[in-house]
Amino acid sequence: MVYTLHGIRLLHPIPSVCYRGSDRRSVVAASRRCSFDRRFLGGMSTYESVSPSLIVAAKEKVVVVSGSQRDVGVSSTDQLEALDEDSKILEGEETLDEEQDDETSEITSAVLVEDVAVTEEETLPDLVISKESEAVQQTSISPPGAGQRIYEIDPLLGNHRQHLEYRYSHYKKMRESIDKYEGGLEAFSRGYEKFGFTRSETGITYREWAPGAKSASLIGDFNSWNPNADVMTRNEFGVWEIFLPNNADGSPPIPHGSRVKIRMDTPSGIKDSIPAWIKFSVQAPGEIPYNGIYYDPPEEEKYVFRHPRPKKPKSLRIYEAHVGMSSTEPMINTYANFRDDVLPRIKKLGYNAVQIMAIQEHSYYASFGYHVTNFFAPSSRCGTPDDLKSMIDKAHELGLVVLMDIVHSHSSNNTLDGLNIFDGTDSHYFHSGERGYHWMWDSRLFNYGHWEVLRYLLSNARWWLDEYKFDGFRFDGVTSMMYTHHGLQVAFTGNYNEYFGLATDVDAVVYLMLVNDLIHGLFPEAISIGEDVSGMPTFCIPVQDGGVGFDYRLHMAVADKWIELLKLRDEDWKMGDIIHTLTNRRWSEKCVSYAESHDQALVGDKTIAFWLMDKDMYEFMALDRPSTPRIDRGIALHKMIRLITMGLGGEGYLNFMGNEFGHPEWIDFPRADQRLPDGRFIPGNGNSFDKCRRRFDLGDADYLRYRGLQEFDQAMQHLEGAHNFMTSQHQYISRKHEEERVIIFEREDLVFVFNFHWYNSYSDYRVGCLHPGMYKIALDSDDPLFGGFGRLDHDAEYFTFEGSHDNRPRSFMVYAPARTVVVYKLIRDDTPATVAK
């Protein structure tokens, strides 16, 4: 596919043989690396002074009402709440109180739109969204709390109070320094308004922090790549700067779409680099490194958001997706196609959130987006920044929360188009020497204790939330960040000494606390999820209480448990072991669970469907052909594994696209043959895209058994949407019988009955329950619609009778077919009003 950007021809790049990778995060630099150890001190602003406009009053604001000024004593938090409420009103979800005071109504409107007149072409929703950034800038992020509540939540933490108090004092010190030198966390996180390219009425300013460089100049199409044309000046903090005035006709000195780079004389020699704060970069046909693009389209071409953000869901049902490989055709898909074709599918399936991978630009496609080269630039393979904004806006229109898979745990090793050795030293954005290198991922590790690294990463998180309207993040590789050993060759046993000691990177943990402060302080409805395999205590406790501040932890042990079990015979599965893994999580800390994610779908691994059905999927999934015992077993267990994971695994659930219907192919990114430096030869796949796509047509085909799996996943999502059972306060596991292979539990007003036995079906099976009354089938994995055998009557009514069973006060009788899960819903509740539920 070819598309243009004002005269620039953009192609989907062919993966270069100059890169190699043995796993999803292994990549080789495009040029030689140099070791030069030089340390720089942080702690103050790197530009002359903080602009007064960046320091906002936290408590009061002057707004314009009907042309006159009026002091409104409303806090910035109240302003955001008013904004949220008006957004709901505009959507028709609520109506204004008829008795509301007219003056109050006038003030509320003024907070939203200030002195902007509403024209016929504009609507109030447009203004609400366009004013969101301004409202966010008026927000006051709450000061640090006492940080003591963690000891009430978990008394065992008292044994490590010294470490935790040191951690919290370091966090408070950083907050105080940011307040003192930068005007607060809100202003500090707008580094993109000072660094990189900034446009004003009179011209363009370009700033770059590169303290190791001896000289620097801005080069590009606009000055014929002449390094002597626009030489930059350096301040005492190592920030290089140049101002380019507008042309005589008033046009910008750098045309939109121009290629740009910074040329520096460094300790490693002369090098041309893409600006660190670049907002867009592309790879020219036939070239290896990317080029930075000055992206500033005319106002009439900029995408304008029209749909407000959805409210934060009570329970998260996440559809993990990769835009590039979301087409049914062997190609790199676009943001526009994903918007039009995939987002409606996600909505129909019943998910309420979409988690987008590989957004930040990465020069090596096969890194799955985890080797970022340009942190502020969306991947150009799928379209322009405005295309991405259109995609996110469409998701919001559909009511879908959009999460970004953000990578702040490491950076690409590339030196020509990434941050590595940017200013000629290996200690610029990263730790120097061995500490700054991840030997398994072959990537660079940030120095989270450095002032400018904090500015860069915090501003990066703010940028994606503010500019692109993402609704939150899934932070990748957090375990690697929090420990100096990066979790490599370490088996976490749950001993608290493993979490709080010399192996803990306190600077990294404090950065995570700061970024969660930022996310939740400026965007109260935003969601933060951390990928942590270690089980770090306090991970999902608010920062003010002494925690790290994430909303959710990915419950990664669940997927590993399923793979472990799928290697065993059915007879060797232990019901208690399954229950323990699903429920073994920290009290009051929320989790997102999944049976499998993208990791299991990559070539070299196996999806659950492939573990279960193997090569039979290629020959026996057509309904006009007889099934096999392997197919029957696989279809049955595929459904059961997913529902029990959702039912007990956490407060959120995640699925990688295509896995909902048992996608039959693994993911294999286009690769060329490679010869490693040690002489080993790694065969490629001819740069083929055949396995780097999703065959949604298989799940849609009514003549294939994949359709039944997709229908079940859809029914499962809608059942959760109707009952929010993942976040139900009522959870009781009444049975985990090893011989019968039966698991029974209650969530909300639902009773889940799992029979994992491979051939035993149970008639008149007694199921304990809490509420008396009548139950009916709400979901049945044996339904023929879901590829089952239809052994249950869905019109049957199940009445409870009194008497203790499995520690429940009453019970009802059911038929439990082998390898099925049936969910029973309370239809008529006979509980007396005096009986507590």
Side-chain angles (χ1 to χ4, degrees):
M1 177 182 177
V2 179
Y3 57 96
T4 60
L5 173 64
H6 285 267
I8 296 178
R9 188 167 178 265
L10 305 175
L11 289 173
H12 292 309
I14 300 297
S16 169
V17 296
C18 294
Y19 297 95
R20 59 179 169 84
S22 58
D23 65 278
R24 69 174 178 137
R25 293 172 172 172
S26 178
V27 75
V28 173
S31 64
R32 296 178 62 89
R33 296 193 292 273
C34 168
S35 176
F36 182 84
D37 189 5
R38 181 174 179 182
R39 301 178 183 275
F40 301 96
L41 299 177
M44 294 182 66
S45 171
T46 56
Y47 41 85
E48 291 79 358
S49 63
V50 179
S51 169
S53 64
L54 298 181
I55 304 175
V56 297
K59 299 300 182 182
E60 296 184 353
K61 180 184 178 186
V62 178
V63 297
V64 178
V65 181
S66 302
S68 62
Q69 288 190 343
R70 179 181 303 173
D71 289 321
V72 181
V74 55
S75 71
S76 52
T77 302
D78 293 333
Q79 293 172 29
L80 286 180
E81 291 175 353
L83 183 65
D84 288 338
E85 290 302 314
D86 274 59
S87 299
K88 289 191 293 184
I89 292 168
L90 294 168
E91 293 180 279
E93 295 180 2
E94 295 186 9
T95 58
L96 288 172
D97 189 338
E98 294 180 353
E99 298 180 0
Q100 182 180 26
D101 182 82
D102 291 339
E103 182 179 8
T104 305
S105 176
E106 183 183 22
I107 293 174
T108 303
S109 299
V111 171
L112 288 174
V113 302
E114 296 184 0
D115 57 347
V116 180
V118 181
T119 66
E120 292 183 0
E121 291 77 17
E122 293 176 318
T123 64
L124 195 53
D126 297 331
L127 291 173
V128 170
I129 297 164
S130 67
K131 287 292 181 181
E132 183 190 54
S133 294
E134 295 180 22
V136 169
Q137 291 186 24
Q138 305 302 315
T139 302
S140 174
I141 298 177
S142 299
Q148 298 297 305
R149 188 168 176 268
I150 53 173
Y151 306 111
E152 301 174 16
I153 296 173
D154 186 354
L156 291 177
L157 293 174
N159 298 327
H160 301 274
R161 183 180 288 270
Q162 183 176 3
H163 175 96
L164 291 166
E165 292 296 312
Y166 168 74
R167 183 178 86 180
Y168 203 74
S169 66
H170 186 32
Y171 153 74
K172 292 177 69 175
K173 179 180 178 181
M174 293 305 299
R175 282 290 306 268
E176 291 167 0
S177 296
I178 291 172
D179 290 344
K180 179 178 180 180
Y181 294 112
E182 302 287 352
L185 196 54
E186 189 279 325
F188 189 49
S189 63
R190 282 189 275 131
Y192 45 81
E193 294 182 356
K194 284 290 182 180
F195 287 90
F197 294 94
T198 55
R199 176 86 180 274
S200 67
E201 293 183 359
T202 57
I204 296 173
T205 300
Y206 171 57
R207 293 188 183 93
E208 197 73 73
W209 175 60
K214 305 170 187 175
S215 65
S217 59
L218 181 62
I219 57 177
D221 294 331
F222 70 99
N223 63 7
S224 301
W225 301 89
N226 180 2
N228 299 316
D230 297 293
V231 178
M232 304 176 71
T233 59
R234 182 188 190 276
N235 71 7
E236 67 270 31
F237 300 107
V239 174
W240 297 88
E241 179 177 341
I242 188 171
F243 174 74
L244 303 177
N246 288 335
N247 297 321
D249 61 359
S251 61
I254 306 177
H256 165 60
S258 298
R259 294 175 298 169
V260 290
K261 286 191 175 183
I262 179 174
R263 173 165 293 181
M264 293 175 285
D265 181 6
T266 77
S268 304
I270 302 293
K271 70 188 296 277
D272 296 343
S273 296
I274 294 178
W277 298 72
I278 199 71
K279 306 303 189 299
F280 195 48
S281 64
V282 301
Q283 184 183 47
E287 293 186 5
I288 296 174
Y290 276 54
N291 287 295
I293 300 295
Y294 177 73
Y295 193 85
D296 186 22
E299 289 298 322
E300 62 272 15
E301 295 182 16
K302 293 181 180 179
Y303 187 83
V304 178
F305 286 91
R306 299 188 61 83
H307 302 285
R309 304 173 187 265
K311 301 292 289 185
K312 182 190 299 185
K314 183 177 181 181
S315 55
L316 272 179
R317 300 185 301 278
I318 304 171
Y319 197 83
E320 184 184 31
H322 184 288
V323 172
M325 56 175 292
S326 63
S327 173
T328 58
E329 301 299 323
M331 57 178 277
I332 297 179
N333 209 10
T334 65
Y335 298 125
N337 288 345
F338 189 90
R339 175 196 64 205
D340 297 337
D341 300 335
V342 184
L343 287 177
R345 168 184 294 275
I346 296 171
K347 177 66 175 180
K348 181 181 178 182
L349 285 172
Y351 292 86
N352 57 20
V354 54
Q355 180 176 298
I356 308 293
M357 307 174 63
I359 290 295
Q360 294 165 292
E361 188 59 89
H362 47 291
S363 62
Y364 185 42
Y365 190 44
S367 75
F368 225 141
Y370 290 109
H371 277 257
V372 177
T373 45
N374 310 120
F375 284 78
F376 287 82
S379 178
S380 60
R381 293 179 180 87
C382 302
T384 68
D386 288 286
D387 291 336
L388 174 59
K389 291 177 181 179
S390 174
M391 185 192 85
I392 295 172
D393 202 26
K394 179 63 177 180
H396 288 168
E397 181 185 6
L398 294 171
L400 295 172
V401 166
V402 187
L403 305 176
M404 176 178 167
D405 195 348
I406 196 169
V407 183
H408 282 183
S409 50
H410 64 136
S411 175
S412 169
N413 226 354
N414 292 5
T415 58
L416 295 184
D417 46 20
L419 295 180
N420 189 25
I421 317 182
F422 184 85
D423 70 345
T425 73
D426 76 337
S427 58
H428 185 201
Y429 283 95
F430 313 107
H431 287 290
S432 62
E434 185 176 328
R435 188 179 178 186
Y437 178 72
H438 197 295
W439 60 267
M440 179 174 285
W441 296 346
D442 190 25
S443 57
R444 295 305 310 273
L445 300 172
F446 287 104
N447 179 355
Y448 301 101
H450 199 292
W451 193 262
E452 291 306 321
V453 174
L454 289 178
R455 186 198 307 278
Y456 186 81
L457 294 178
L458 290 171
S459 297
N460 187 242
R462 165 77 174 271
W463 171 254
W464 294 108
L465 292 172
D466 206 351
E467 180 71 15
Y468 287 89
K469 311 303 181 189
F470 278 98
D471 302 298
F473 302 110
R474 176 263 198 189
F475 280 83
D476 176 71
V478 175
T479 302
S480 175
M481 297 172 66
M482 295 192 298
Y483 307 97
T484 55
H485 53 60
H486 311 302
L488 301 176
Q489 299 177 329
V490 174
F492 290 97
T493 65
N495 187 320
Y496 279 29
N497 291 320
E498 298 166 347
Y499 307 115
F500 310 117
L502 296 178
T504 304
D505 188 335
V506 174
D507 286 338
V509 176
V510 167
Y511 164 69
L512 294 172
M513 296 166 74
L514 290 171
V515 77
N516 276 303
D517 258 356
L518 177 77
I519 293 168
H520 298 120
L522 299 184
F523 302 88
E525 290 291 304
I527 299 165
S528 66
I529 305 170
E531 185 199 35
D532 171 39
V533 71
S534 74
M536 163 74 82
T538 75
F539 192 76
C540 294
I541 295 176
V543 175
Q544 64 182 7
D545 296 332
V548 183
F550 284 98
D551 293 310
Y552 297 87
R553 169 193 277 114
L554 279 182
H555 199 350
M556 303 175 70
V558 175
D560 294 338
K561 174 56 66 175
W562 288 124
I563 298 303
E564 176 187 318
L565 291 176
L566 290 170
K567 295 177 182 179
L568 306 175
R569 303 176 307 161
D570 289 13
E571 296 90 324
D572 297 323
W573 289 27
K574 302 297 183 185
M575 303 299 101
D577 190 25
I578 294 172
I579 293 296
H580 174 74
T581 302
L582 290 171
T583 59
N584 183 27
R585 53 187 186 272
R586 298 190 179 279
W587 177 70
S588 80
E589 298 193 41
K590 295 187 290 187
C591 288
V592 172
S593 66
Y594 55 94
E596 56 183 341
S597 67
H598 64 270
D599 287 326
Q600 288 75 30
L602 286 166
V603 64
D605 208 331
K606 287 184 179 182
T607 63
I608 287 178
F610 209 82
W611 275 108
L612 289 168
M613 296 177 278
D614 205 61
K615 65 181 187 302
D616 280 20
M617 284 196 294
Y618 297 114
E619 300 181 32
F620 301 101
M621 293 298 279
L623 289 172
D624 62 354
R625 301 189 63 179
S627 184
T628 68
R630 176 177 284 174
I631 291 294
D632 290 342
R633 172 181 180 267
I635 289 176
L637 289 179
H638 195 272
K639 293 177 285 188
M640 298 179 71
I641 288 170
R642 296 180 123 61
L643 185 52
I644 197 170
T645 299
M646 173 180 267
L648 289 177
E651 293 75 18
Y653 176 81
L654 178 143
N655 166 67
F656 179 67
M657 62 179 187
N659 287 353
E660 69 273 10
F661 61 84
H663 200 286
E665 297 285 3
W666 57 85
I667 301 167
D668 190 11
F669 280 84
R671 292 180 291 109
D673 295 341
Q674 300 176 38
R675 178 74 65 178
L676 302 184
D678 59 8
R680 287 182 296 156
F681 176 75
I682 299 180
N685 59 13
N687 287 321
S688 171
F689 285 87
D690 186 60
K691 300 295 188 295
C692 195
R693 54 176 172 154
R694 294 280 91 178
R695 293 293 306 276
F696 292 119
D697 54 312
L698 300 178
D700 293 342
D702 56 10
Y703 56 86
L704 296 177
R705 291 184 168 88
Y706 296 108
R707 176 68 175 270
L709 295 177
Q710 180 168 285
E711 291 286 349
F712 179 79
D713 193 83
Q714 178 172 316
M716 183 175 80
Q717 303 303 324
H718 283 281
L719 180 70
E720 206 290 324
H723 294 271
N724 292 126
F725 59 76
M726 285 194 296
T727 54
S728 169
Q729 294 299 309
H730 175 59
Q731 172 181 306
Y732 191 90
I733 301 168
S734 60
R735 173 160 289 216
K736 44 185 176 182
H737 201 289
E738 298 296 346
E739 293 181 6
E740 295 176 351
R741 297 295 197 276
V742 171
I743 294 174
I744 301 174
F745 59 87
E746 303 167 14
R747 297 302 303 266
E748 191 61 27
D749 57 355
L750 304 175
V751 179
F752 295 72
V753 180
F754 288 82
N755 180 4
F756 280 97
H757 205 283
W758 46 99
Y759 64 80
N760 276 346
S761 297
Y762 304 108
S763 299
D764 296 327
Y765 198 82
R766 193 174 177 187
V767 175
C769 64
L770 174 63
H771 302 293
M774 183 184 74
Y775 289 79
K776 292 193 71 172
I777 293 174
L779 182 62
D780 169 21
S781 70
D782 201 44
D783 190 319
L785 177 65
F786 309 141
F789 297 100
R791 288 169 284 184
L792 292 172
D793 179 5
H794 290 188
D795 292 326
E797 298 173 342
Y798 301 86
F799 293 90
T800 62
F801 50 91
E802 299 298 314
S804 178
H805 179 71
D806 286 343
N807 292 319
R808 309 312 286 146
R810 45 194 64 90
S811 57
F812 57 94
M813 309 294 284
V814 303
Y815 174 49
R819 285 192 180 130
T820 63
V821 52
V822 184
V823 183
Y824 297 89
K825 176 185 177 181
L826 181 65
I827 300 299
R828 192 187 77 227
D829 189 352
D830 295 338
T831 305
T834 57
V835 177
K837 294 186 179 183

